[in-house]
Amino acid sequence: MRNIFSIAVGLGALLMATMAAAHPGHANIDGLGGFLSGFLHPFLGWDHVVAMLAVGLWGVFLGQNAVWALPVIFPLIMVVGGALGLLGVPVPGAEVGIAVSALVLGALVALAARLPLYIAGAIVGVFAIFHGYAHGTELPAAADALHYSIGFVLATGLLHLCGIFFALLSHWPWGGYAVRLGGGVIALLGIGWLAGVA
Amino acid sequence: MRRLFALLLCCAVTSTASAHSPIEGVGAFYNGTFHPAMVLPHLLLILALGIWSGCQGRRHARFGVMGFALGLLAGLLLTAYGSAPDMTDTLLILVVLACLGIIWMQPLPVWLPVGLAVAAGISIGLDSPAEGADRVERALMMAGTWLGGSIILLQGAILPLVLKQAWARIGFRILAAWGAAASFLVWVMVLM
């Protein structure tokens, strides 16, 4: 009963994430408070959403330490990209990097790739810089920087948790295929963004 | 299931909270009590510190709460004698340190979290100058701030002592990572 409840909560949260508008780019929402603006920011771009989900999915596949290690490594390295965005240091190809992150992370989940944790951390860290740069360029325009930051912190943490909950389905034989299929969809979305189609 | 039902029942029977005390003169005290919860950097720091102390164990939590309470008292008293400096960047760095401590999750000597708790208490106290028409009102506000901040820290410290499951530790680490990231980004912005 507890497992079913956990799955139900996880799927509910996942549905909440997927109901986000497929808004391209990273536009601020005029008229909203700093917190709401920050909270909605990760949901406004499918590229952010799927990358966060993929990190959670892959962490569960890799094993117990990776479940928390990847969602921890991501923001700690993301800060570097965020600081670069704040300081106005150009990071060429950030949007391409974000699209590639969806492709690569999705493919790794689809292939159920079990890499050593330090390699997985390095891959996630590299992509985190691009995501951080995108957030960092938006931060100065936010009405209240700290509330904005806390908002997108909660939102991205929720997306990681959604990915983790979804990946828990892999405990069942059919669940593993469902998770890998999800990874495949994420990878295809990444290809679409790179091609400029999606 | 019984606890969940009891919790829902308690939520259903609570009456509307009153933000201001009807007793004249006690308003300043209540304002002070709510103050740490209303200032986001303060709330973040106190919660991060509490969770870190609790993750380290009962002894660390006990000394952490005591150290914070003493530091907060000292900081508040210092504001009575001079103008309060802007502690924003200090508070943000302390949040980052406390969050990194949560992520580390390994046993640490007790002086480390306690030292950070004292520093945090002093910083929050300095950043919470009491406002009021007279000394009595200011004193009441300071007392309320001290009590409110200490209670929030205690609640933060109890949380990991109660939630010892692996999933709870994972959740603390993930939230701490994002808390550190958000605070560091804002700190960079403050420095610019």
Side-chain angles (χ1 to χ4, degrees), chain A residues 62-78:
Chain A
L62 288 176
Q64 196 150 4
N65 281 344
V67 171
W68 64 265
L70 294 189
V72 164
I73 289 170
F74 190 95
L76 292 180
I77 306 297
M78 186 206 71

Side-chain angles (χ1 to χ4, degrees), chain A residues 44-66:
Chain A
L44 292 178
W46 278 104
D47 46 2
H48 282 303
V49 172
V50 297
M52 299 302 106
L53 288 174
V55 169
L57 289 176
W58 198 31
V60 176
F61 260 152
L62 288 176
Q64 196 150 4
N65 281 344

Side-chain angles (χ1 to χ4, degrees), chain B residues 136-155:
Chain B
V136 173
E137 262 196 46
R138 289 197 294 273
L140 283 171
M141 189 167 179
M142 280 173 21
T145 302
W146 180 83
L147 187 66
S150 303
I151 288 174
I152 294 172
L153 183 75
L154 186 61
Q155 289 175 334

Side-chain angles (χ1 to χ4, degrees), chain B residues 109-187:
Chain B
V110 69
W111 59 265
L112 203 55
V114 171
L116 194 69
V118 172
I122 292 173
S123 302
I124 291 174
L126 287 173
D127 203 47
S128 307
E131 296 163 7
D134 54 36
R135 291 172 71 178
V136 173
E137 262 196 46
R138 289 197 294 273
L140 283 171
M141 189 167 179
M142 280 173 21
T145 302
W146 180 83
L147 187 66
S150 303
I151 288 174
I152 294 172
L153 183 75
L154 186 61
Q155 289 175 334
I158 287 173
L159 205 58
L161 292 174
V162 170
L163 296 173
K164 294 182 180 174
Q165 298 89 338
W167 61 263
R169 300 286 158 155
I170 290 172
F172 289 143
R173 278 171 143 152
I174 293 174
L175 286 174
W178 285 99
S183 300
F184 185 79
L185 277 179
V186 177
W187 178 72

